[in-house]
Amino acid sequence: MGYTYEYPRPALTVDCVIFGLDGRDLKVLLIERALEPFKGKWALPGGFVNMEENLYDAALRELEEETGVKDVFIEQLFTFGEPGRDPRGRVVSVAYYALVNLKEHPIQASSDARNAAWFPVDELPKLAFDHDAIADMAIKRLRGKVVYQPIGFELLPKKFTLTQLQNLYETVLGVRVNKRNFRTKILKMDILEQCERQQGVAHRPAFLYRFNEGKYKELLEKGFVFEIGGFVKNEQ
Amino acid sequence: MGYTYEYPRPALTVDCVIFGLDGRDLKVLLIERALEPFKGKWALPGGFVNMEENLYDAALRELEEETGVKDVFIEQLFTFGEPGRDPRGRVVSVAYYALVNLKEHPIQASSDARNAAWFPVDELPKLAFDHDAIADMAIKRLRGKVVYQPIGFELLPKKFTLTQLQNLYETVLGVRVNKRNFRTKILKMDILEQCERQQGVAHRPAFLYRFNEGKYKELLEKGFVFEIGGFVKNEQ
DNA sequence: ACAAAAGTGTTGTTCCTACACCCATGA
DNA sequence: TCATGGGTGTAGGAACAACACTTTTGT
């Protein structure tokens, strides 16, 4: 009974740092561990990789099993393999990060009755295993990547206003941006498609925009480089 | 005899894409496989991860065992885990890339008598396993990273001329750069330390420069962002 | 003197920053 | 009519792209 190999092998898991944008807060979804080790501690959702699935699929599967979230952007972050990172023995974990739109993907109470909650990125509790380091790297990666790849849109609804988009950058990067300059820059890129206006707001309704991925890829071919940020702190 | 686990586990390896700059060519070091599968085919150096070493150390160890190279810059690239990527069974590989200075780190004939050779990045032969995909991603990563992180220096001697540095960017990025503008930009960053002049060249000797890592980190604290490139093709 | 590469001056243009101002809607 | 956020004009300055030119070495 069991599986025998000539040489010892580490166990292989995937863990996922799930980012969501909630009003003006960037948040991470954590799960309360139901079992030892670290029972009762907050941790990243994750689990063991099956033998017949690839890593990407494993991350998506664990994400759905533990949070009900599916059809979201995920990307490999880093592989963590310090010998002592799991008290049960050698466990190597391939970490992913996910970007979800909180409005369109409400988190379900976990299917295995574990407790799940969103925490603002700068108020994370002490996490199980080395998940602090994983979350930390994910935040840095997101901050670094959001300025030169158009992945921020994944945190917003399909259609969004320019102010929402600006708030996204301000929140993720932790800076204030000048409205005039932000708009000029993002619109000049010509990767946003203008849609209808907002409705039912107590002020002048804003235009909604959609990220035009086709146009973006077309521009990429011609040597276009997406780049937003490098903004100066302005307006307090 | 052997190691038994309750659930099956993939084997875990590290593979390494080693870049070297040779005159005006960016090259990758490959090893000819001595054993099946893919016996006689070219492949990336790599091997199994030991149970008591972390992934970074495993990559460094394999690098030294197979090429004699040590004390070089390496960084995790990506983890490849498609179920069918190795005909012997499920093998997950954590890929690293390394930057070496060919002058200061000559490659030794491999300790296990395997054949090793440098190949220009755009003339790579068909590789074993999914190593084509790994090498491909490494090249893209290097091209992407070299413009916003000062890692290119790892490919040069400790002391280098500005022309060498410019050639590095031209080679890696595959563009031509205007000499005047390149110099103005890189010197204004204030991360290079001027040293003595070159000697014994049949023309006006150039100043040598050294990358000042301390200064760079100091500037980082103040919000400095390294960025070179975004150059226009110029001068043919 | 010449070849070869190092190194500098400068100009027109584009892009960035900061600030001020007007506009449309619901309450 | 007011509050609220949407949206635009523009001036001054910094950074960029392109080109031409001078300097210093070995042969």
Side-chain angles (χ1 to χ4, degrees):
Chain A
M1 187 63 265
Y3 298 84
T4 302
Y5 307 104
E6 189 175 354
Y7 297 100
R9 297 181 173 191
L12 188 69
T13 61
V14 288
D15 286 309
C16 207
V17 183
I18 309 166
F19 291 106
L21 198 63
D22 168 18
R24 287 198 166 233
D25 266 349
L26 181 66
K27 294 187 166 176
V28 171
L29 185 65
L30 298 177
I31 288 196
E32 200 175 1
R33 284 186 59 81
L35 304 170
E36 291 294 349
F38 299 104
K39 185 174 174 180
K41 282 269 189 298
W42 293 98
L44 300 173
F48 292 92
V49 176
N50 292 334
M51 288 301 269
E52 65 300 322
E53 73 187 346
N54 68 30
L55 303 171
Y56 181 90
D57 291 340
L60 278 183
R61 175 180 55 73
E62 288 291 345
L63 202 55
E64 184 171 357
E65 283 178 13
E66 303 210 349
T67 68
V69 174
K70 58 179 177 177
D71 294 329
V72 294
F73 171 92
I74 72 168
E75 194 169 88
Q76 198 183 107
L77 173 67
F78 196 77
T79 298
F80 293 79
E82 286 296 323
R85 59 179 295 278
D86 190 316
R88 293 168 293 188
R90 185 83 194 269
V91 179
V92 170
S93 177
V94 183
Y96 280 76
Y97 70 99
L99 302 181
V100 311
N101 159 21
L102 284 192
K103 298 283 157 50
E104 294 178 4
H105 294 278
I107 293 338
Q108 299 161 12
S110 162
S111 51
D112 4 6
R114 268 173 278 186
N115 200 8
W118 290 96
F119 290 82
V121 290
D122 37 38
E123 297 169 27
L124 294 186
K126 179 88 185 70
L127 302 183
F129 307 103
D130 58 353
H131 288 188
D132 301 290
I134 299 177
D136 208 56
M137 185 182 286
I139 293 164
K140 289 203 176 82
R141 175 76 62 91
L142 177 60
R143 293 210 167 114
K145 203 139 189 176
V146 88
V147 307
Y148 67 89
Q149 281 194 16
I151 58 172
F153 304 108
E154 304 287 343
L155 289 165
L156 295 177
K158 283 262 175 1
K159 294 178 179 181
F160 49 84
T161 69
L162 293 183
T163 301
Q164 284 179 297
L165 187 60
Q166 179 175 343
N167 283 340
L168 158 69
Y169 281 98
E170 291 184 334
T171 303
V172 172
L173 298 177
V175 295
R176 236 88 248 278
V177 173
N178 179 286
K179 181 172 56 160
R180 182 61 170 115
N181 301 340
F182 179 80
R183 283 162 187 249
T184 305
K185 190 160 180 177
I186 195 89
L187 287 178
K188 184 145 47 68
M189 286 186 195
D190 198 26
I191 56 173
L192 296 185
E193 189 184 333
Q194 198 179 61
C195 306
E196 72 280 8
R197 280 184 184 278
Q198 256 182 338
Q199 288 188 347
V201 286
H203 53 77
R204 177 176 175 177
F207 277 109
L208 293 169
Y209 290 84
R210 192 203 327 256
F211 172 54
N212 188 336
E213 191 162 355
K215 191 67 176 279
Y216 170 65
K217 290 193 171 156
E218 188 185 305
L219 288 170
L220 271 189
E221 303 291 313
K222 299 179 192 163
F224 168 76
V225 182
F226 179 89
E227 219 256 293
I228 195 89
F231 287 112
V232 177
K233 266 191 283 285
N234 170 24
E235 300 175 9
Q236 147 63 290
Chain B
M1 185 63 261
Y3 298 83
T4 302
Y5 307 105
E6 190 175 352
Y7 297 98
R9 297 182 173 189
L12 188 69
T13 62
V14 288
D15 287 309
C16 207
V17 183
I18 309 165
F19 291 106
L21 197 63
D22 168 17
R24 289 200 164 230
D25 266 349
L26 180 65
K27 294 187 168 178
V28 172
L29 185 65
L30 298 176
I31 288 197
E32 199 174 3
R33 284 186 59 80
L35 303 171
E36 291 295 347
F38 298 104
K39 184 173 174 180
K41 282 268 188 299
W42 293 98
L44 300 172
F48 292 92
V49 176
N50 293 335
M51 287 302 268
E52 64 300 322
E53 73 186 346
N54 67 31
L55 302 172
Y56 182 89
D57 291 341
L60 278 184
R61 177 181 52 75
E62 288 291 344
L63 203 55
E64 184 171 358
E65 284 179 13
E66 304 211 347
T67 68
V69 174
K70 58 181 176 176
D71 296 327
V72 295
F73 170 93
I74 72 166
E75 194 169 86
Q76 200 183 105
L77 172 67
F78 195 78
T79 298
F80 293 78
E82 286 295 324
R85 61 179 291 281
D86 191 314
R88 292 167 295 187
R90 184 82 194 269
V91 179
V92 171
S93 178
V94 183
Y96 280 75
Y97 69 100
L99 302 181
V100 312
N101 160 20
L102 285 192
K103 298 282 157 50
E104 293 177 5
H105 295 277
I107 293 338
Q108 298 161 12
S110 162
S111 51
D112 4 7
R114 269 173 280 186
N115 200 6
W118 290 95
F119 290 81
V121 290
D122 37 37
E123 297 170 28
L124 294 186
K126 179 90 185 68
L127 302 184
F129 307 103
D130 57 354
H131 288 188
D132 301 291
I134 299 178
D136 208 56
M137 185 182 286
I139 293 165
K140 289 202 176 84
R141 175 76 61 89
L142 177 61
R143 294 210 167 114
K145 203 139 189 174
V146 88
V147 307
Y148 67 91
Q149 280 194 18
I151 58 172
F153 304 108
E154 304 288 343
L155 288 165
L156 295 178
K158 283 263 174 0
K159 295 179 181 181
F160 49 84
T161 68
L162 293 183
T163 301
Q164 284 180 297
L165 187 59
Q166 177 175 344
N167 283 341
L168 159 69
Y169 281 97
E170 291 184 334
T171 303
V172 172
L173 298 177
V175 295
R176 235 91 248 274
V177 173
N178 179 286
K179 180 173 57 163
R180 181 63 168 114
N181 301 339
F182 178 81
R183 282 161 187 249
T184 306
K185 189 161 181 178
I186 195 87
L187 288 178
K188 184 144 46 67
M189 288 186 193
D190 198 26
I191 56 173
L192 295 185
E193 190 184 332
Q194 197 179 63
C195 305
E196 72 279 7
R197 282 184 182 277
Q198 258 183 337
Q199 287 190 346
V201 285
H203 53 77
R204 177 175 176 178
F207 276 110
L208 293 168
Y209 289 84
R210 191 199 332 252
F211 173 53
N212 187 336
E213 191 161 354
K215 192 66 176 281
Y216 169 65
K217 289 193 172 153
E218 188 185 306
L219 288 171
L220 271 189
E221 303 291 314
K222 299 179 191 164
F224 168 77
V225 182
F226 178 89
E227 220 256 292
I228 195 88
F231 288 113
V232 177
K233 265 191 282 285
N234 171 22
E235 300 175 10
Q236 149 64 287

